[in-house]
Amino acid sequence: QVQLVESGGGLVQAGGSLRLSCAASGSIFSINRGNWYRQAPGKQRELVAAVTSGGSTNYADSVKGRFTISTDNAKNTVYLQMNSLKPEDTAVYYCNLNTTGWGRRDGTDYWGKGTLVTVSS
């Protein structure tokens, strides 16, 4: 079973920066797609950023130009660099990875438990 551990959340002031990490452990041959979602109180979970194994990235309009998603396949880790943070970015952030295990060809989705990001005004 692949386990995802998120870290890097915390309390920051508006305009500050934070880097979230999602470290995967277990039998992982490749990370096919990495996603960061967030869910604010009373709101639906939304996709914030996504990266494919080919390096293509996509971002929610609300974070374009401020957030950057990246991967370090050697470490089986996906990052989310968050700059120019706004109070509206406050949410629990979840990583979601589609990975292929060693000796396998199909991918499987895994979810982290989330890390809280709070941005004060």
Side-chain angles (χ1 to χ4, degrees), residues 16-18 20 36-38 46-49 57-60 62-70 79-86 88-90 93 117 119:
S17 298
L18 210 60
L20 306 183
W36 281 98
Y37 290 82
R38 69 184 181 188
E46 64 173 340
L47 179 63
V48 175
T57 59
N58 289 284
Y59 300 93
S62 59
V63 307
K64 285 182 179 177
R66 301 188 298 120
F67 290 11
T68 303
I69 188 170
S70 62
Y79 303 95
L80 184 67
Q81 178 67 45
M82 305 184 295
N83 299 323
S84 301
L85 283 162
K86 305 174 181 179
E88 64 197 70
D89 295 318
T90 295
Y93 285 72
V117 171
V119 184

Side-chain angles (χ1 to χ4, degrees), residues 33-108:
R33 186 177 182 89
N35 303 308
W36 281 98
Y37 290 82
R38 69 184 181 188
Q39 187 166 25
K43 296 185 178 181
Q44 292 183 310
R45 185 174 298 184
E46 64 173 340
L47 179 63
V48 175
V51 61
T52 69
S53 60
S56 298
T57 59
N58 289 284
Y59 300 93
D61 288 340
S62 59
V63 307
K64 285 182 179 177
R66 301 188 298 120
F67 290 11
T68 303
I69 188 170
S70 62
T71 63
D72 186 337
N73 288 329
K75 298 181 179 179
N76 290 325
T77 300
V78 178
Y79 303 95
L80 184 67
Q81 178 67 45
M82 305 184 295
N83 299 323
S84 301
L85 283 162
K86 305 174 181 179
E88 64 197 70
D89 295 318
T90 295
V92 176
Y93 285 72
Y94 300 89
C95 64
N96 162 244
L97 304 184
N98 184 277
T99 70
T100 298
W102 286 97
R104 307 292 296 273
R105 72 174 183 87
D106 54 327
T108 303

